[in-house]
């Protein structure tokens, strides 16, 4: 039976003291050759003891265990397995050379033997260094790949944080928009209920006044009827015969009022308050909301660009730390629309500033986001104080304008036309003709600190 200390130094696969021990992630150790044989036979990289899957093809050496084994053999006066490996198995001599023909270490006696006659040799230390250098060369792509993976992991972390920021910011804007709508609806509700209460009060007052007048007439008539009945009709003496003429004249002289008439329009006008209620509110609401034919996509904005809260304006500023997602432009100071155009006619107006540089128009879906845009765009720009029409297929064309502030872009995808107009002067500027085959996006490029803005569609 092994001693406890010897048992702790024993490989569970070969049941011998560890020979070149390696350590798995689960902290269990095995002889390197034993473990590789085990994995080759089972074709799965699992710990033979706990069955935990190992992610390492070549587990690291367990130097602490190797030192313990060395101390164990030293205490017994035995050679370590490593020392035995460094000696020639045939001549028990130190292995100092490497046979280039047999690809194996040999001793000096082996070199002079018939088996290695006319073979080439090199010092074993030199050969080991060459092998190390060669492995380092082979290892370089793996190191580069590891670096790339680590960078990708960092990018994912940054993207995850940016998603939280985006979600929080978007939620805040959504709440602000609904707060405005709720406030409008609340004010509209209060106004309509106030109008209803005013009508109720007004018509109730009319009914009250009519009732008061009618009550006065009833009282007067009741008094006349009661007095006549008590004085003449209910009397049983002969005085009625004498006073009949007087009673009749009294009744004839009392004015007989007109019959009370139903009051027209006395009821609440429910149809006025309820008829097409939701439609009339919606119609009124349209005057407080805005519609923009183009909305810019912040996920495509080059890091120097900042979009307005409603995603219709863009300004240039210091570079921001943003995720390097595939949709984002990197070379040009560019942002594109969220929706693309693949048919039909579309128009949008842009307010520009005559500062440093800007460009606007349409570009194809296939243009590279990370490199130079060499093709697939049609637009106009301000550069070095001059206006020009720009396209990949044509030389830049100077435009005969001196100042632009509001520009209309009109795209007819089916006819293959992109036209530009000066809205302030109501003048035509330029038209590109091209047979479009791809989805097109509206784009804006700018290096201006003042915003370029998509204008609200006219109602």
């Amino acid at each position: 039976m092994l001693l406890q200390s010897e048992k702790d130094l024993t490989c569970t696969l070969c049941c011998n003291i560890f020979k070149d021990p390696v350590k798995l992630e689960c902290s269990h150790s095995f002889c390197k050759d034993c473990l590789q044989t085990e994995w080759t036979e089972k074709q799965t990289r699992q710990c033979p003891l706990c069955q935990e899957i190992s992610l390492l093809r070549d587990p690291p050496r367990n130097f602490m265990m190797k030192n313990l084994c060395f101390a164990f053999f030293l205490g017994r006066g035995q050679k370590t397995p490593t020392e035995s490996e460094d000696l020639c198995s045939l001549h028990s001599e130190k292995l100092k050379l490497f046979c280039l023909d047999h690809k194996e270490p040999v001793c000096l006696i082996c070199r002079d033997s018939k088996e290695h006659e006319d073979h080439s040799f090199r010092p074993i230390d030199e050969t080991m260094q060459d092998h190390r250098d060669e492995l380092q060369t082979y290892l370089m792509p793996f190191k580069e790949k590891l670096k790339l993976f680590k960078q990708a992991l960092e990018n994912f972390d940054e993207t995850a944080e940016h998603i939280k920021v985006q979600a929080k910011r978007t939620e805040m804007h959504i709440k602000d928009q609904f707060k405005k709508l709720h406030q409008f609806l609340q004010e509209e509700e209060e106004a309509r209920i106030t109008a209803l209460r005013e009508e109720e009060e007004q018509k109730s007052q009319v009914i009250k006044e009519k009732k008061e007048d009618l009550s006065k007439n009833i009282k007067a008539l009741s008094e006349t009827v009661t007095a006549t009945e008590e004085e003449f009709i209910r009397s049983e003496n002969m005085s009625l015969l004498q006073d009949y003429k007087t009673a009749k004249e009294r009744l004839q002289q009392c004015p007989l009022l007109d019959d009370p008439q139903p009051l027209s329009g006395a009821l609440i006008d429910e149809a006025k308050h309820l008829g097409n209620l939701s439609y009339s509110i919606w119609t009124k609401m349209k005057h407080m909301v805005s519609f923009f034919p183009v909305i810019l996509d912040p996920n495509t904005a080059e890091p120097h660009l900042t979009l307005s809260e409603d995603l219709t304006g863009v300004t240039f500023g210091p570079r921001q730390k943003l995720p390097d997602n595939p949709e984002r432009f990197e070379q040009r100071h560019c942002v594109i629309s969220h929706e693309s155009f693949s048919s039909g006619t579309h128009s949008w107006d842009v307010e520009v500033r005559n500062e440093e540089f800007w460009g606007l128009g349409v570009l194809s879906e296939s243009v590279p986001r990370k490199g130079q845009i060499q093709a697939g765009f049609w637009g106009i720009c301000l550069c070095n104080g001059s206006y020009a029409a720009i396209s990949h297929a044509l030389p830049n064309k100077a435009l005969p304008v001196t100042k632009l502030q509001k520009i209309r872009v009109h795209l007819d995808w089916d006819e293959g036309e992109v036209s530009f107009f000066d809205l302030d002067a109501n003048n035509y500027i330029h038209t590109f003709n091209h047979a479009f085959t791809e989805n097109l996006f509206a784009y804006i490029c700018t290096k201006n600190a003042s915003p370029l803005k998509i204008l609200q569609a006219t109602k």
Side-chain angles (χ1 to χ4, degrees), residues 427-450:
N427 287 335
Y428 162 80
I429 300 176
H430 187 75
T431 294
F432 290 102
N433 292 283
H434 184 83
F436 301 122
T437 58
E438 294 185 49
N439 290 357
L440 299 178
F441 289 89
Y443 81 85
I444 293 179
C445 294
T446 182
K447 292 188 71 175
N448 291 355
S450 300

Side-chain angles (χ1 to χ4, degrees), residues 226-243:
T226 301
T228 302
E229 285 181 342
E230 290 179 352
E231 186 176 355
F232 299 104
I233 297 178
R234 295 176 182 175
S235 176
E236 295 181 356
N237 53 34
M238 297 295 293
S239 62
L240 175 62
L241 298 175
Q242 300 173 356
D243 298 332

Side-chain angles (χ1 to χ4, degrees), residues 186-199:
Q186 184 176 358
E187 292 174 355
E188 187 69 15
E189 177 186 2
E190 291 174 355
R192 290 176 179 272
I193 290 179
T194 298
L196 173 63
R197 296 291 181 237
E198 289 177 353
E199 183 180 354

Side-chain angles (χ1 to χ4, degrees), residues 367-405:
V367 298
R369 306 294 174 92
K370 304 305 179 185
Q372 290 292 334
I373 302 176
Q374 303 292 346
F377 62 93
W378 301 264
I380 62 175
C381 73
L382 169 67
C383 185
N384 297 324
S386 300
Y387 298 96
I390 55 174
S391 174
H392 66 284
L394 300 169
N396 293 352
K397 179 181 179 182
L399 298 175
V401 292
T402 58
K403 185 177 181 180
L404 291 175
Q405 289 185 316

Side-chain angles (χ1 to χ4, degrees), residues 222-325:
S222 296
E223 290 176 351
T224 299
V225 171
T226 301
T228 302
E229 285 181 342
E230 290 179 352
E231 186 176 355
F232 299 104
I233 297 178
R234 295 176 182 175
S235 176
E236 295 181 356
N237 53 34
M238 297 295 293
S239 62
L240 175 62
L241 298 175
Q242 300 173 356
D243 298 332
Y244 166 74
K245 185 176 180 181
T246 303
K248 183 177 178 181
E249 290 176 351
R250 183 189 297 174
L251 290 175
Q252 289 175 343
Q253 292 174 358
C254 182
L256 190 61
L257 302 176
D258 294 334
D259 294 342
Q261 299 296 322
L263 189 60
S264 177
L267 301 181
I268 294 292
D269 190 353
E270 293 185 55
K272 180 184 71 175
H273 295 287
L274 298 178
N276 290 322
L277 177 59
S278 58
Y279 177 81
S280 61
I281 293 174
W282 174 72
T283 302
K284 191 173 182 181
M285 185 181 292
K286 287 196 297 183
H287 296 286
M288 65 162 291
V289 297
S290 303
F291 173 76
F292 298 91
V294 166
I295 297 297
L296 303 176
D297 185 354
N299 293 334
T300 68
E302 192 270 338
H304 286 90
L305 303 184
T306 300
L307 301 190
S308 59
E309 288 186 1
D310 59 4
L311 306 181
T312 61
V314 55
T315 57
F316 179 87
R319 184 180 177 89
Q320 306 167 85
K321 189 178 176 69
L322 297 172
D324 186 21
N325 50 302

